[in-house]
Amino acid sequence: MTSKITSASSTLFKDFVRVANAIVADNNLVGEIALADSESLLPEILFITSYPPRECGIATYSYDLIKTINEKFGESFSLTVCALEANGKQHDYGNEVKHILHTTVPEQYEQLAVELNANENLKMIFIQHEFGLFGGEYGNFLLSFLLTINKPVITTFHTVLPNPDANRKKVVEAIAELSQSVVAMTKNSAQILEGDYDIRKEKISIIQHGTHLVSSFNNSDKKFNHSLKGRLVLTTFGLLSSGKSIETALDALPAIIQEFPNVIYLIIGKTHPGIVKHEGEKYREFLFEKVSELKLQNHVRFINEYLSIGDLLAYLQRTDIYLFTSKNPHQAVSGTFAYAMSCGCPIVSTPIPHAKEMIDGAGIIFDFQNSKQLATATIKLLADPALMYQMRMKALHKISPTSWQNSAIAHIELCMKHLAEKNISLKYSIPEISLIHIKKLTTATGMIQFSDIATPDIETGYTLDDNARALISVTKHFEITGDVTDLTLIDTYLNFIILCQQPNGSFLNYVDHHGNFFEKNSNENLEDSNGRAVWALGEFISHHKLFHKDIIKKAEIAIKKSLSHISTFNSPRAMAFAIKGLCFYELYKANIELRQQIILMADNLVSKYRGVSDKNWQWFEEYLTYANSVLPEALLYAWLSTGNEIFKTIASSSFDFLLNHIFKKGKIKVVSNNGWQLKGMVSNKFGEQPIDVAYTILALSKFYSVFNEKSYLQKMNDAFTWFLGNNHLHQIIYNPCTGGCYDGLEEKHINLNQGAESSLSYLIARITNEENFNKHTDRQLKQKFNLA
């Protein structure tokens, strides 16, 4: 991918960029301009697996995994595939498939290994293992490959059977011994590998079956809703075979229909190709006969297709209850089961190990082939919508760590652990900027405060805080994109801020969904909210060249009206926000009164710093709380405005002190909102919020632009990748499907709600990342080509 070096709003040297672009093009330089020169060839990772268009569960699994690794780490690795073929077949593959292994031909295994050994750029091999995929007894042809290959190998076991016979155990043990690591998908599978196959615990990693993020969990407005209108939808999907025991659900339907006549049961999926080869459509015809026998024609619909993932997820999002009826007690994992949970489906399932491990309040388990229990469980759920909603939420929270994005992170981190070249740097790909969720949260009044997962909760009303952040972030977005649809949003947020302003120049914060002020405005200290409003107004006015003079005038009237109230601030953060706002406003219209207010508030911060700080605690208060980075950042702005060196000195010392507290080993860990960092005390390690990461990125950006220290740029990157998975849970905080950002990172889970504060925090961080990439790239090009 050729990198974008400029943006719509770039104020950089246009002639120089044009020349540099020409030089880049002439030399066929592809990819981002990195901080240092790098090899043109990315290190290669090869996946040995069945692969689409071959129709099987592992092929789909591998496609989804490879696609997501490419999306997240495509600037770090080149991903290729060795596709598995059997019985002389040859599918028509995409360009990523570089090798074909005919699994029933023994000599091809060693030949493939020899060929791969000659590829110096190949750094890692992932093998997707299922006993039926490889030739020989229990797939033992694979051993000749493993004995010959001299590259590191990680093997994922998709099926782990307990109580193996001697030969099966011997093959699995050998595969594990010849692999650097093995991956199991459930805790149960890992325990079987350790207990029944004598595989060392330290060699086993658990990476659950990946699942797809979905944009909405409201099943009333889905793609297929027109054909299912007014129906309660039960669903089963997957490649059809007798092992799925669909007849168990069919036998339960008459009892369910008696209570809920509008039920329809969707049976989605083609018959497994291996089954068709040996017995044709015998099992499907058996199911047809049962539907006829039970007179269920109006309540059962067969969808005999291998659906696209988009269509499949649409059906699952429209599903009220997912039925999992497998009769195989040793089925280690089910991708269909996981996909249903990821769409928020309550589950009624047989007790396969995966179900017993995952359901945990997200559904009901029934005995194998027990139609009566299945009917009872389904009726119980359909009769209790509140319970179904509770299970839907449980399913989403339980399954969220398994998203393909998180699975990609886990696989690449395991890969990095075994790479011989420790100098390979892991680079997260940056998602495209999206305002989808921001627009979804915005009404004609303003930005809604909270979301229930990704659905805006209008009952929670609006806040000045969020609309101030929204004005800042969408103004920045308009600056870099020129997207005219931003103008309506900007006008909405500005009008909301003005709505909140009182006759004395102060602002109220809380507004209900009817547009009335909440009573709690009189019960809380609103200084920080007021300071944030001044910041938003000032920064908006500083972009006056982008907007009509009338809208700038409206903002200017509001900020002027607030000036008398600013002088009453006592909160350090309120003063810091206001300093930023006035410094931005000063870029548009400097005057003595503004300068005096900046000096007054900056002096106040200096006084607070001197009253508390010592050699080991260089800070403004006896505790670190929220939005810490804005304090040194504000003093830096004050220095740029006034030239007072004291402001610069304290800005630098306090910021370095803060950075030493929150950055460790290439990761940011901001101060916990579950207990502030007290002077001389050990802080609570968990409870991180996106807003603190965003404020840190803004401050790092300003310090980098002033001092040009690369350590600030590196920390900015480390901080931004917190949103992408570079955190203690190794999970995404930004949801690229919804365009929203999760509300918090806790010790063992993520708060999946995607409210205004967190989503705007990500947007501000993402836009700041874009701005700094452009600035740094142009600086690099300028140095590289000696352009003035």
Side-chain angles (χ1 to χ4, degrees), residues 434-694:
S434 170
L435 263 61
I436 292 173
H437 193 60
I438 301 301
K439 292 178 179 179
K440 193 175 175 182
L441 282 165
T442 303
T443 70
T445 300
M447 176 162 285
I448 297 168
Q449 185 176 10
F450 294 126
S451 285
D452 185 4
I453 307 294
T455 302
D457 185 356
I458 187 66
E459 296 295 325
T460 63
Y462 310 87
T463 67
L464 172 67
D465 289 332
D466 292 329
N467 283 272
R469 295 183 193 102
L471 181 61
I472 294 167
S473 58
V474 179
T475 298
K476 286 175 172 287
H477 184 263
F478 182 68
E479 182 188 24
I480 67 170
T481 66
D483 185 345
V484 294
T485 64
D486 290 346
L487 296 176
T488 301
L489 298 174
I490 288 167
D491 195 49
T492 298
Y493 306 140
L494 177 59
N495 286 338
F496 186 91
I497 293 171
I498 292 170
L499 167 72
C500 291
Q501 191 166 36
Q502 302 303 292
N504 67 351
S506 68
F507 298 85
L508 298 182
N509 189 35
Y510 301 103
V511 178
D512 69 20
H513 65 286
H514 297 299
N516 303 313
F517 290 111
F518 277 111
E519 187 176 334
K520 64 179 176 179
N521 283 299
S522 60
N523 300 325
E524 291 187 15
N525 186 329
L526 302 181
E527 282 193 12
D528 288 3
S529 300
N530 277 251
R532 196 174 285 109
V534 173
W535 169 22
L537 291 167
E539 182 154 355
F540 173 69
I541 292 168
S542 73
H543 295 284
H544 60 93
K545 293 181 180 179
L546 298 175
F547 303 103
H548 191 277
K549 63 181 181 180
D550 290 346
I551 194 172
I552 295 298
K553 186 67 176 176
K554 187 160 57 172
E556 188 179 11
I557 291 171
I559 199 169
K560 282 182 175 179
K561 191 176 176 181
S562 72
L563 292 180
S564 61
H565 181 67
I566 291 172
S567 61
T568 67
F569 286 172
N570 188 54
S571 160
R573 282 154 192 80
M575 288 186 277
F577 290 138
I579 287 171
K580 288 184 63 175
L582 296 187
C583 287
F584 278 116
Y585 181 36
E586 194 179 36
L587 297 175
Y588 172 66
K589 189 175 289 184
N591 61 58
I592 295 174
E593 183 184 3
L594 285 181
R595 182 67 55 83
Q596 287 176 339
Q597 288 207 295
I598 292 168
I599 292 171
L600 179 66
M601 289 186 290
D603 281 343
N604 200 326
L605 289 180
V606 169
S607 178
K608 290 179 183 297
Y609 178 86
R610 287 173 170 170
V612 173
S613 65
D614 57 35
K615 180 180 178 182
N616 298 316
W617 187 263
Q618 297 177 48
W619 198 242
F620 306 85
E621 302 164 299
E622 293 188 337
Y623 38 77
L624 294 169
T625 60
Y626 86 105
N628 296 300
S629 297
V630 75
L631 301 180
E633 183 193 14
L635 280 183
L636 188 62
Y637 273 99
W639 168 66
L640 292 171
S641 170
T642 67
N644 188 327
E645 289 291 325
I646 294 173
F647 299 159
K648 174 186 175 185
T649 300
I650 295 177
S652 295
S653 62
S654 60
F655 195 46
D656 289 344
F657 167 79
L658 177 63
L659 296 179
N660 286 334
H661 269 267
I662 63 177
F663 281 93
K664 305 291 181 185
K665 298 179 180 179
K667 284 185 171 66
I668 188 174
K669 182 174 279 293
V670 293
V671 175
S672 168
N673 68 329
N674 293 326
W676 304 130
Q677 168 71 68
L678 302 179
K679 184 177 180 179
M681 303 290 287
V682 177
S683 66
N684 190 326
K685 293 182 179 179
F686 305 105
E688 301 170 65
Q689 293 188 305
I691 190 169
D692 286 306
V693 179

Side-chain angles (χ1 to χ4, degrees), residues 700-762:
L700 284 164
S701 174
K702 192 62 184 176
F703 274 79
Y704 173 66
S705 70
V706 171
F707 298 111
N708 194 27
E709 289 185 15
K710 286 187 178 179
S711 64
Y712 291 138
L713 190 65
Q714 182 59 55
K715 283 183 171 63
M716 204 186 316
N717 178 70
D718 293 340
F720 183 74
T721 58
W722 179 89
F723 291 100
L724 308 182
N726 186 25
N727 52 63
H728 75 266
L729 287 184
H730 312 283
Q731 293 181 30
I732 56 169
I733 309 298
Y734 170 68
N735 183 322
C737 182
T738 64
C741 179
Y742 298 135
D743 278 353
L745 174 66
E746 306 299 336
E747 179 177 3
K748 296 180 180 178
H749 73 280
I750 287 169
N751 182 339
L752 298 183
N753 294 328
Q754 297 160 52
E757 177 183 292
S758 55
S759 296
L760 289 166
S761 296
Y762 170 79

Side-chain angles (χ1 to χ4, degrees), residues 1 63-75 77 79 212-213 404-405 408 427-432 724 736:
M1 178 181 71
Y63 175 83
D64 288 334
L65 176 60
I66 292 167
K67 177 177 179 289
T68 312
I69 292 176
N70 252 326
E71 290 170 353
K72 286 200 72 69
F73 301 107
E75 297 172 32
F77 296 100
L79 307 183
H212 292 273
L213 297 170
W404 282 116
Q405 287 75 12
K427 194 174 184 183
Y428 287 79
S429 298
I430 307 301
E432 292 294 322
L724 308 182

